[in-house]
Amino acid sequence: MTLLLVITCGTLSSAVGAGLTIATAGTTAQLTIQAVDQYWNDRGLGGDNFAVVVSPQSPTQRAVHATLNDNADASYSADFIATFAGVSAVQSILLSGQCRGTGSR
């Protein structure tokens, strides 16, 4: 059997980790993105172009962009340091490929 990989789907890919629920200003928070294709199959390889943005509710504060590490196995580790206190939104974005979109869980 030959398995043909299809493109990564950002809307179906997921993120897990403590950085999705709690982060302390000035301390590194972490999360991991797991990339899947449009059929929910684990991609099994790296090379996708994801971004993670942490946006505060307050319009006077600036969003924080995470540093991503491609683990070469369809997972991507993201580290960020929140620079503000309060509620924020964490968004993972697939920047390339046909099945673009944002995933949040």
Side-chain angles (χ1 to χ4, degrees):
M1 175 199 298
T2 301
L3 178 63
L4 300 175
L5 295 175
V6 295
I7 61 169
T8 299
C9 187
T11 55
L12 299 180
S13 296
S14 61
V16 297
L20 292 173
T21 56
I22 190 165
T24 302
T27 303
T28 301
Q30 300 174 328
L31 60 96
T32 301
I33 298 170
Q34 184 62 50
V36 297
D37 66 18
Q38 64 191 21
Y39 305 107
W40 292 91
N41 296 311
D42 185 347
R43 294 268 297 142
L45 50 87
D48 295 308
N49 191 11
F50 279 98
V52 173
V53 180
V54 182
S55 303
Q57 282 188 331
S58 171
T60 61
Q61 295 171 321
R62 301 180 87 180
V64 174
H65 295 264
T67 301
L68 266 75
N69 180 50
D70 183 342
N71 299 319
D73 63 356
S75 71
Y76 301 83
S77 303
D79 297 332
F80 65 90
I81 298 176
T83 57
F84 46 83
V87 177
S88 58
V90 179
Q91 187 175 35
S92 62
I93 306 163
L94 178 61
L95 300 173
S96 59
Q98 282 183 325
C99 191
R100 291 185 187 168
T102 58
S104 58
R105 288 192 180 189

